[in-house]
Amino acid sequence: MTMGKDFWEIRSKEPDRVTILDTTLRDGEQSPGVSLTGAEKLEIAQQLARLGVDVIEAGFPASSAGELAAVQRIAETVGRGQGHAQRGGRLEPPGIAGLSRANRHDIDKTWEGVRAAKCPRIHIVLPTSDIHLKYKLEKTRAQVLQIARDMVSYARSLCDDVEFSAEDSTRTDRDYLFEVLDAVVDAGARTLNIPDTVGYAMPAEYGDLIRVLCERYAARGDVVISGHCHDDLGVATANTLAAIANGARQVEVTINGIGERAGNACLLETVMALHTRKPFYGLETGIDRHEIGPTSRLVSTLTGMALQANKAITGANAFAHESGIHQDGILKNRSTYEIMEASELGLDQTGLVLGKHSGRNAFRAKLRELGFAMEDGELNRAFVRFKDMADSQKSVSEAEIRAICEMMESEREGAPL
Ligand code: KIV
Ligand code: ZN
């Protein structure tokens, strides 16, 4: 008997809470060019536990001996609550999931990988779209239906907590998708994951599919519908939020949105949308927002995937303001142009970036910050010099502003009385 039941007992008492399954260490590691060592995976898993994710998908144990060992290490440490403080009210420690294709060999390896965790989960994936059945599996719908049923039953003989993913759900014939999902629910799957594997669905369409599925299994009370979205058309986070708005109570996301091809839905964007628009969604997560910045930085450093400057939430420009109109607003009250607080997210308050669009108020504020005091006339002259410089280059650094001020000071000192 495993401990997976604890997870479900706690979750079923929290209908307004969205379970966050982080798949940075599995789908995220499938980003082209990314490969993490066992030690790096462990370090990220420890940070994910501090962040407060509910389930860590630690890897794909059947893929290599090293991957199996890494998942085992995470299960027996992070999955048993080692290395991070207990936090009041939180489900502790996170569940540990491993991905498995629908065959006994993969399921056995996955179970070997996750079984030491307090809340282990076997996550079985099997394609259901005709395209995948024909070209990838070379099997009929009837054969795939039988495999799904048998393999979920087998996994349930090992582990209480079994998730089933109907790969390429959004390009699967709906009636056949329902048939497969009904069969795996009867076989004991508790989480039904609906992957938009190739990032094909649009938010209204994906939300509708999730709504229909939530209605279909609502009466059972023990089935969770999960969203899993890829970003091929740039709408992975929008689709994930549409899934939540339509009843999904688990979402599968990655730190910084890394993952196969264009990546997965971003955990940080999803969680901050739920938090910032709480009156709209009315839902909670267990995420500790102060750990958002540190987690984003750690994953970027260890995977070598730099964040684009304009990335929402944790990009270098996410809290930076360049135009004079915006800077003036920010100086008067940050809420004029900011909807989140950088400091609450463990991020530096970037503030004002001085360039050719910047105004006098921002320039004055920057001078104060750098320790220079000027009366109005002198400030105006310094501002003209700054604007000349800004017109001829992309931005003006603090060192260059300091140089302008020092030049003005020496002119002041050298001026005849
Ligand atoms: O995108 C996908 O279909 C997946 C499954 C393995 C869940 O990542
Ligand atoms: Zn995926």
Side-chain angles (χ1 to χ4, degrees):
M1 177 57 78
T2 67
M3 301 295 283
K5 276 203 170 79
D6 293 358
F7 183 87
W8 291 103
E9 271 159 25
I10 294 171
R11 279 293 166 277
S12 60
K13 291 187 192 113
E14 297 179 311
D16 296 337
R17 163 130 175 206
V18 180
T19 294
I20 302 294
L21 180 147
D22 180 278
T23 182
T24 306
L25 296 176
R26 200 276 300 167
D27 225 344
E29 206 197 356
Q30 289 173 219
S31 302
V34 171
S35 176
L36 297 164
T37 64
E40 288 168 337
K41 284 182 82 120
L42 181 61
E43 194 177 343
I44 291 175
Q46 283 161 341
Q47 180 58 30
L48 291 173
R50 276 192 286 275
L51 180 66
V53 308
D54 301 291
V55 184
I56 296 174
E57 185 161 63
F60 179 13
S63 65
S64 75
E67 179 80 345
L68 170 60
V71 173
Q72 272 172 331
R73 183 108 179 84
I74 291 169
E76 65 208 14
T77 54
V78 179
R80 299 201 70 79
Q82 254 180 46
H84 58 279
Q86 297 281 319
R87 291 182 302 267
R90 291 267 171 80
L91 178 69
E92 216 37 77
I96 306 295
L99 184 70
S100 171
R101 285 167 301 192
N103 64 63
R104 280 177 179 253
H105 170 264
D106 272 28
I107 293 171
D108 289 339
K109 289 282 173 204
T110 300
W111 181 232
E112 230 180 295
V114 299
R115 66 183 303 169
K118 182 159 185 263
C119 297
R121 175 181 292 190
I122 297 176
H123 176 187
I124 296 177
V125 60
L126 182 63
T128 48
S129 67
D130 286 337
I131 300 178
H132 280 229
L133 264 57
K134 180 171 175 197
Y135 296 110
K136 215 173 81 170
L137 297 186
E138 297 181 16
K139 292 204 185 313
T140 64
R141 286 186 180 183
Q143 287 171 319
V144 168
L145 179 66
Q146 193 58 48
I147 294 170
R149 191 182 281 125
D150 292 349
M151 290 305 107
V152 168
S153 262
Y154 178 60
R156 268 309 299 266
S157 71
L158 304 170
C159 179
D160 283 335
D161 189 353
V162 173
E163 168 172 340
F164 179 82
S165 278
E167 191 185 7
D168 206 15
S169 283
T170 51
R171 293 193 301 167
T172 298
D173 172 75
R174 273 203 186 187
D175 289 336
Y176 180 62
L177 179 65
F178 297 162
E179 207 181 333
V180 173
L181 296 178
D182 286 351
V184 299
V185 166
D186 286 347
R190 310 287 287 279
T191 303
L192 302 180
N193 189 38
I194 312 301
D196 183 25
T197 302
V198 290
Y200 178 73
M202 289 294 113
E205 195 183 13
Y206 190 63
D208 179 67
L209 176 59
I210 297 290
R211 180 186 53 74
V212 170
L213 289 169
C214 290
E215 283 167 9
R216 190 175 182 90
Y217 299 108
R220 286 192 55 111
D222 62 348
V223 171
V224 169
I225 303 297
S226 164
H228 178 119
C229 301
H230 282 268
D231 211 28
D232 300 66
L233 292 173
V235 291
T237 301
N239 278 345
T240 300
L241 291 166
I244 293 170
N246 282 280
R249 286 297 172 268
Q250 174 180 287
V251 288
E252 304 195 349
V253 284
T254 63
I255 301 301
N256 301 337
I258 65 170
E260 280 280 0
R261 307 180 308 281
N264 289 55
C266 175
L267 181 150
L268 315 171
E269 292 170 8
T270 305
V271 162
M272 285 314 294
L274 293 181
H275 175 71
T276 309
R277 302 303 311 278
K278 181 104 189 267
F280 181 77
Y281 288 103
L283 296 167
E284 304 267 350
T285 69
I287 295 297
D288 179 348
R289 292 189 300 286
H290 295 94
E291 295 295 339
I292 281 181
T295 313
S296 176
R297 284 193 290 271
L298 179 72
V299 169
S300 173
T301 306
L302 294 184
T303 59
M305 290 191 73
L307 283 187
Q308 79 225 38
N310 63 333
K311 175 92 178 84
I313 321 288
T314 54
N317 290 353
F319 291 89
H321 306 272
E322 211 256 0
S323 86
I325 297 170
H326 287 216
Q327 291 177 336
D328 185 45
I330 285 290
L331 286 168
K332 289 172 176 153
N333 189 311
R334 298 197 81 89
S335 68
T336 51
Y337 288 102
E338 286 182 0
I339 57 169
M340 296 166 272
E341 279 186 37
S343 57
E344 200 191 73
L345 307 181
L347 297 164
D348 295 334
Q349 195 92 48
T350 325
L352 310 181
V353 176
L354 292 188
K356 71 174 181 182
H357 303 111
S358 303
R360 204 177 307 263
N361 279 351
F363 184 66
R364 180 185 306 167
K366 180 58 85 180
L367 295 199
R368 260 194 230 119
E369 193 186 306
L370 295 177
F372 293 99
M374 288 185 190
E375 46 79 23
D376 280 354
E378 200 176 19
L379 181 100
N380 286 345
R381 289 194 297 281
F383 186 60
V384 170
R385 288 187 186 186
F386 154 73
K387 277 282 183 175
D388 284 347
M389 192 179 270
D391 264 336
S392 61
Q393 57 194 56
K394 285 190 192 307
S395 66
V396 182
S397 68
E398 284 191 357
E400 288 166 326
I401 293 171
R402 206 174 263 119
I404 293 176
C405 294
E406 282 162 1
M407 206 187 302
M408 304 279 305
E409 274 179 354
S410 60
E411 284 171 10
R412 192 198 305 148
E413 278 150 24
L417 291 173

